[in-house]
Amino acid sequence: MRAVRVLSALGTTLLALGLAAGPVAADSSPSPSASDGSDTSAPTQAGTSFRTATELQQGQQATASGSTGDYLYWSFPADTGQRPTVKATVKLPQTHGAETWQLDVFDGLRRRQSCQYGASSRAAEQGTNSVELACVMRTVRGWAEPWANDPLPGTYYVRLTVVDMGAADLGQPVNAEIQVDSKDIGGPSAVDGSLGKPLVPGIAVKSEAQGDDSKTAVLSSFGSRDGWSSGWWSDRWVWTGIGAVLAALAGIGGYALTRGHGRPPTV
């Protein structure tokens, strides 16, 4: 019975340490968020191409005005262990025909990323006031094979446009709202290996610190203040270690309970 009490106390202690280690492991992997950027208000316009995409931090709700037929582009950062969710709402004019709007997400290499679930393409019937789109991406991985299309840490682009409409609706004014949030998945999706550099491509804009005569393209300003978290560490190492210790204690406890007490009587 004493061995059982000792094992129970050790198991309770290790479980408490594991629960406390979860937030610590999460804090050791900084990820970009709305607070990592600037204190300025959310964007009120969208770009018209990949190179002019408007930067959007996670948690911000951006708005933009455009015309039916325009391509609206935004870009946002996503780090290892995050599962981004992109939501967009298009407010349509009072009179319009049947239209189909589509939301596409591309990574830093401009590869289209598939959605786990969500209506990334939706039709708006005649007279509909608005249409809502959503795309829940796959979890961003720290490393992948060169031939794979897995999402990697870096910049992601959002493209919103109409893909099917009548000729009479071309050029009508529309308003769009977009927001990007993410859920930290952590250890369950962690992989061994790390990405050398995040997929943050250069953009053809001038830095505020540079003069007007500079023509050097600068990197996007995305990323957390402490850097990108791609690396070998994840919270799954904590739970793996706790599981190994518990297995060893269970083996010791089983041996202590099943072994004989004292020497057998001699005949």
Side-chain angles (χ1 to χ4, degrees), residues 99-120:
E99 301 176 354
T100 301
W101 287 80
Q102 183 167 315
L103 179 71
D104 296 312
V105 181
F106 303 85
D107 64 4
L109 299 179
R110 301 183 185 179
R111 302 177 301 182
R112 187 178 183 276
Q113 295 294 315
S114 59
C115 304
Q116 280 189 322
Y117 50 88
S120 60

Side-chain angles (χ1 to χ4, degrees), residues 19 48-49 78 81 95 122 148 156 159 169 171 177 187 240 246 251 256 267:
L19 294 176
T48 57
S49 65
T95 58
R122 178 166 290 180
Y156 285 83
R159 183 177 68 188
D169 294 330
E177 297 178 356
T240 302
L246 290 177
V267 179

